[in-house]
Amino acid sequence: MIRVGDEAHLRTAIEIAARARANGNHPFGSLLTDPSGTKVLEAENTVVTGDDVTGHAETNLVRLSGRLHTDLSGYTLYASTEPCAMCAGAIYWAGIGRVVYALAETQLLELTRSHPGNPGLALSCEEVFARGQRQISVSGPHFYDEAAAVHAGFWTEQR
């Protein structure tokens, strides 16, 4: 379910993804809002520039969220693309209560095909969360055209 404020935050996550791409990384971005909907953190993908395969936008955001020293169950993570299995695990362990994403993992796999930079898992974040003992609300996909546009040409340029 999309809520008031979700659209603007999702579009910001997509802008962060565009910034990641401009900075030489894969085009993924995320941000975290507190229970009132105020943005508290944002992160972009740093896999290439950080030389770290775990440098996904969401895992970078989860690392930063530890500095908040608070219960994150009322917080929302917005992602330009559905969190992968690794990121979903990090979100789960951080205790974030809600995820809203633009591009679905299945849609991303259609865009990247068999690109070695994204050997994706056909596993939704909801499937990962469903195996846990806590409920995490998930909303997505949303804004396919805008989210896909950030990837336009990227996966063919990077062969």
Side-chain angles (χ1 to χ4, degrees):
M1 172 178 72
I2 200 152
R3 300 178 186 167
V4 173
D6 284 349
E7 291 183 17
H9 291 311
L10 267 179
R11 287 193 168 101
T12 299
I14 293 167
E15 290 169 10
I16 296 166
R19 187 172 68 222
R21 181 177 179 171
N23 288 335
N25 290 293
H26 299 159
F28 301 99
S30 64
L31 66 95
L32 187 70
T33 62
D34 67 15
S36 72
T38 301
K39 181 175 77 170
V40 293
L41 295 170
E42 65 178 49
E44 61 186 64
N45 180 290
T46 58
V47 166
V48 176
T49 59
D51 195 26
D52 178 0
V53 296
T54 68
H56 292 196
E58 299 87 347
T59 55
N60 287 339
L61 189 80
V62 166
R63 284 185 198 103
L64 291 171
S65 74
R67 298 178 185 158
L68 297 175
H69 302 290
T70 190
D71 173 10
L72 300 176
S73 62
Y75 285 59
T76 300
L77 184 145
Y78 294 87
S80 62
T81 303
E82 181 176 6
C84 71
M86 175 184 70
C87 292
I91 291 163
Y92 178 84
W93 289 112
I96 295 168
R98 182 168 180 254
V99 172
V100 181
Y101 64 87
L103 194 66
E105 177 70 16
T106 54
Q107 295 168 323
L108 176 65
L109 288 172
E110 289 174 14
L111 295 173
T112 62
R113 307 270 174 203
S114 60
H115 191 281
N118 186 53
L121 295 169
L123 182 65
S124 74
C125 66
E126 285 184 279
E127 290 177 83
V128 174
F129 298 148
R131 299 297 182 134
Q133 297 177 21
R134 279 189 309 98
Q135 293 286 353
I136 298 175
S137 172
V138 177
S139 180
H142 305 287
F143 310 129
Y144 173 83
D145 291 338
E146 292 173 53
V150 178
H151 294 268
F154 181 83
W155 301 101
T156 54
E157 295 166 1
Q158 301 295 314
R159 287 261 176 211

